[in-house]
Amino acid sequence: MLFQKRFWAGIADGTVTLAFRRWARQQVLPGRPYRTPAGRIEVTAVSVVDPADITDDDARAAGHPDAASLLADLPGDPANPTYRIEFRPATDPDPRAELAAGADLAADEIAAITKRLDRLDRASSYGAWTRETLRLIEQHPERRAGDLADMAGRERAPFKLDVRKLKNLGLTQSFPIGYRISPRGRAYLDATADD
């Protein structure tokens, strides 16, 4: 789920536990974890509400001073239903972080990563990018995404989306600014250095 930066601290410390969204159809499901810029959350309940029924207490739980300011800030088409999303910080470990920490790669894992990277390269409309992006992150740790995208001759938004794909494979780690190669990514690059 996307949240504005002003809500990140409250989401991380558990003081922001509600969100309201106008969606044409429900976008999140109860019982599922979701990644946010403030960390992972678990959605506990979702319901459609009448915006007029949103209380000041609801607004404060969503990080707003009162219901009027929440309603004035509520994005989306007013013709769409308004969803009330209850959530809490996720307590289980992020599977991507656990995957990224694994630096002891067997030959079959290396082959599986190679196969997946090859598939991402083939599916790309701008050609092979996976190894170039890994090496770029390796050479420029914690550099701004915009800087890295410029170095690669790419637009920032698609570049960030591609780095997220590498993170989902456990090969990179995100930082407040930029990325680093994960232990798993380092092990993969070392194992395939001669390829």
Side-chain angles (χ1 to χ4, degrees):
M1 283 184 67
L2 297 178
F3 289 90
Q4 294 176 1
K5 191 171 186 175
R6 62 187 165 134
F7 301 117
W8 294 359
I11 293 167
D13 69 19
T15 57
V16 172
T17 58
L18 280 180
F20 292 87
R21 299 287 189 270
R22 287 181 179 134
W23 289 327
R25 61 179 179 76
Q26 186 172 322
Q27 303 286 318
V28 296
L29 297 172
R32 293 230 181 131
Y34 293 90
R35 293 183 183 96
T36 77
R40 294 171 66 245
I41 60 170
E42 180 185 345
V43 172
T44 56
V46 180
S47 57
V48 175
V49 297
D50 182 335
D53 293 337
I54 297 172
T55 66
D56 287 344
D57 286 342
D58 289 337
R60 283 188 286 276
H64 293 268
D66 54 42
S69 66
L70 184 149
L71 291 170
D73 198 35
L74 191 60
D77 184 344
N80 286 335
T82 299
Y83 288 88
R84 181 183 195 270
I85 302 117
E86 298 177 44
F87 59 88
R88 62 180 171 226
T91 55
D92 60 328
D94 185 341
R96 295 183 310 176
E98 290 184 337
L99 183 64
D104 187 19
L105 295 178
D108 61 331
E109 290 175 287
I110 294 167
I113 293 169
T114 298
K115 185 176 180 180
R116 181 59 197 233
L117 294 179
D118 289 346
R119 190 176 318 136
L120 289 170
D121 284 341
R122 282 193 305 274
S124 169
S125 62
Y126 38 84
W129 61 270
T130 58
R131 278 73 164 190
E132 175 188 347
T133 302
L134 285 171
R135 290 186 194 97
L136 193 60
I137 292 168
E138 175 187 33
Q139 293 163 3
H140 304 280
E142 297 184 53
R143 283 288 288 272
R144 288 183 343 86
D147 293 343
L148 295 173
D150 288 345
M151 290 178 203
R154 302 212 20 225
E155 292 183 32
R156 183 175 180 265
F159 178 84
K160 286 183 74 170
L161 182 62
D162 282 344
V163 174
R164 194 171 304 129
K165 293 172 187 174
L166 297 175
K167 184 176 181 179
N168 289 340
L169 294 174
L171 301 176
T172 64
Q173 297 169 306
S174 296
F175 285 82
I177 296 175
Y179 318 96
R180 277 189 175 271
I181 294 294
S182 68
R184 178 181 175 88
R186 163 64 40 226
Y188 177 77
L189 288 175
D190 289 348
T192 58
D194 297 329
D195 294 350

